Amino acid sequence: MDHSTGAPPVPEELFAFAVRLAARAGRMCAEAFHGERPSYERKPDGTEVTAVDLAVEEFVRKELAAAFPADAVLGEEAGPRAGASGRRWVIDPVNGTRQFSDRMPAFSTDLAFEDEHGPAIGVVNFPMSRQLVAAGRGLGCWLLLGTDPDPLEALRSGRGRLHAGGRTELTGARTQAHNIAGWPESLLTALHRRVWLVPTGGGALDVLAGRADALVIAGPALGYEDLAPLPVIVAEGGGRITDLTGAPVLEGDGSVLITNGHLHDAFLEVVAEAVREGSTRAVLVDAHPGWAAEGAALTAELRAALAPEARRVEHIGSTSVPGMAAKPVFDLQVSVADLAAASDAFDAPLAARGFVRSRHETDHVPAGRDDDQGRWVKRLWTRRGGPGPDVNLHVRCAGSPNERLALLFRDWFRAHPEAVPAYARFKRELAHRTADSGSYAEVKDPVVDLVAEVAEEWAKETGWRP
């Protein structure tokens, strides 16, 4: 029994199966790495994929289907496969596809297993350095060397067991920084003042081997497949893992904080202070695969809470567009017949859910329109810091031009995924160059107006209706 979680250890043979499968997949990647340089393509979310990613995932899926046909599978490339056992495997065939295609030997092949108790097995295989990190719940965390390691021999001998170091002083702690180009300036500055920031090396492996005291991943959000092996690896290696807000990493915002355990709370305090200092800046993150489901859950919740005045509740804005970088705040739109009546009816149920009404009651009127500003009124409630995700809730009159434009903007980008990467790059550059969210919005509005003009032509050509 794992006394920290109350869950039983995983069977040793299942742990060995996972390690051997990840090792075989890693050998496929290493062979391809030394062959003809692979080209990559862009997926709809803007990330890269090569033929090697697809081939390795297909191989792992076939092996899992043969050995455990009732288990569910989630793969980065082929998506989910339903199962009947209550267990699931998570595959990232080439974690670091761009490094792989650029001949940089810093990628990994990752595999995770989850059962009814949660994360149970995690494997991160670095095939080019012939190092494989593996952990099983209740079995410990291990560094296995070579191209065909024997996990059962490691369990019997105890050789290669990992355990995080014991440093307790935050100042000067050796801290690996990943995705640093996308970090908020306030976070970078706050950590630079207190710890020794160094480039990413082995990531979690270095923390658990005592070569680093912490790993911080901020900037673009990681996907679930990137994160799935880490909770059991870090826990069994004597460390601690959360996102940068302190939430469980698999339920968080796609950021990562891994420490030796002793320093974790101190790191979270520094991060919280940095967030407070930089809260006025616009901070964008890469699209998160869970945003669509989370937006759907939020709209369903608010549709029920705000009935019958809410005629329609929609997920809008950048988080509603697949692959679009965005501020990690959900924009939702509620369509009503009467703004004044809705305001009175909505205050109580929204306050109970952590929302505060804003004094901002008008939208930007696009350039070139001679509309009366009174046609662009709304009510706005915001929620920051929970409960639940951060939200901007826009309440607009059904049939109003601002209600229509919000839906048109979303649907045009959904219908034109080829336009998403360019617009996302523009937003990232703008966020980097502007000092606060107000300046960011002021500069962005004219660009939105241009997109709206193109979208209006598309609406005429296609017969689009809100």
Side-chain angles (χ1 to χ4, degrees), residues 280-282 430-431 433-442:
T280 62
R281 293 186 64 92
L430 180 60
R433 292 178 179 274
T434 50
D436 54 63
S437 294
S439 301
Y440 172 82
E442 184 177 350

Side-chain angles (χ1 to χ4, degrees), residues 43 45 47-48 53 74-77 90-97 99 107-112 114 122-124 126 178-179 204 215 217 220-234 241 249-250 254-256 258 286-289:
K43 294 185 286 187
D45 65 0
T47 59
E48 300 89 359
D53 296 76
L74 173 63
E76 182 179 22
E77 308 307 337
V90 184
I91 311 164
D92 191 346
V94 183
N95 187 349
T97 296
Q99 289 91 331
F107 62 90
S108 63
T109 297
D110 301 349
L111 183 65
E114 303 165 342
V123 185
V124 177
F126 300 97
H178 185 62
N179 283 346
L215 167 67
I217 303 177
L222 297 186
Y224 192 92
E225 297 86 356
D226 302 307
L227 302 171
L230 296 178
V232 66
I233 285 175
V234 175
I241 181 171
V249 73
L250 296 184
S255 63
V256 178
I258 297 175
D286 279 354
H288 194 280

Side-chain angles (χ1 to χ4, degrees), residues 20-34:
R20 289 167 180 152
L21 180 57
R24 291 168 67 193
R27 292 198 294 274
M28 289 179 64
C29 292
E31 182 177 349
F33 183 87
H34 290 300

Side-chain angles (χ1 to χ4, degrees), residues 317-335:
S318 292
T319 58
S320 70
V321 178
M324 179 70 79
K327 291 178 288 186
V329 179
F330 287 87
D331 283 283
L332 306 180
Q333 177 171 272
V334 180
S335 302

Side-chain angles (χ1 to χ4, degrees), residues 324-448:
M324 179 70 79
K327 291 178 288 186
V329 179
F330 287 87
D331 283 283
L332 306 180
Q333 177 171 272
V334 180
S335 302
V336 300
D338 185 280
L339 275 179
S343 299
D344 293 338
F346 290 174
D347 272 331
L350 289 176
R353 288 165 173 79
F355 286 86
V356 177
R357 199 203 291 199
S358 169
R359 291 179 292 179
H360 182 69
E361 295 187 348
T362 57
D363 281 316
H364 164 73
V365 179
R369 297 200 185 215
D370 56 3
D371 289 3
D372 184 337
Q373 181 73 59
R375 298 189 66 212
W376 293 76
V377 295
K378 70 175 179 181
R379 298 294 184 268
L380 175 66
W381 282 260
T382 63
R383 180 172 71 188
R384 299 292 187 270
D390 289 352
V391 176
N392 295 327
L393 184 67
H394 309 264
V395 179
R396 297 176 172 123
C397 283
S400 65
N402 47 349
E403 181 221 29
R404 178 183 181 280
L405 183 58
L407 299 172
L408 174 60
F409 186 85
R410 177 197 68 187
D411 291 354
W412 184 85
F413 270 113
R414 286 180 174 179
H416 297 83
E418 70 278 4
V420 170
Y423 185 66
R425 286 195 297 273
F426 157 72
K427 294 203 303 176
R428 281 196 179 282
E429 185 66 20
L430 180 60
H432 178 69
R433 292 178 179 274
T434 50
D436 54 63
S437 294
S439 301
Y440 172 82
E442 184 177 350
V443 178
K444 189 179 74 167
D445 279 344
V447 178
V448 174

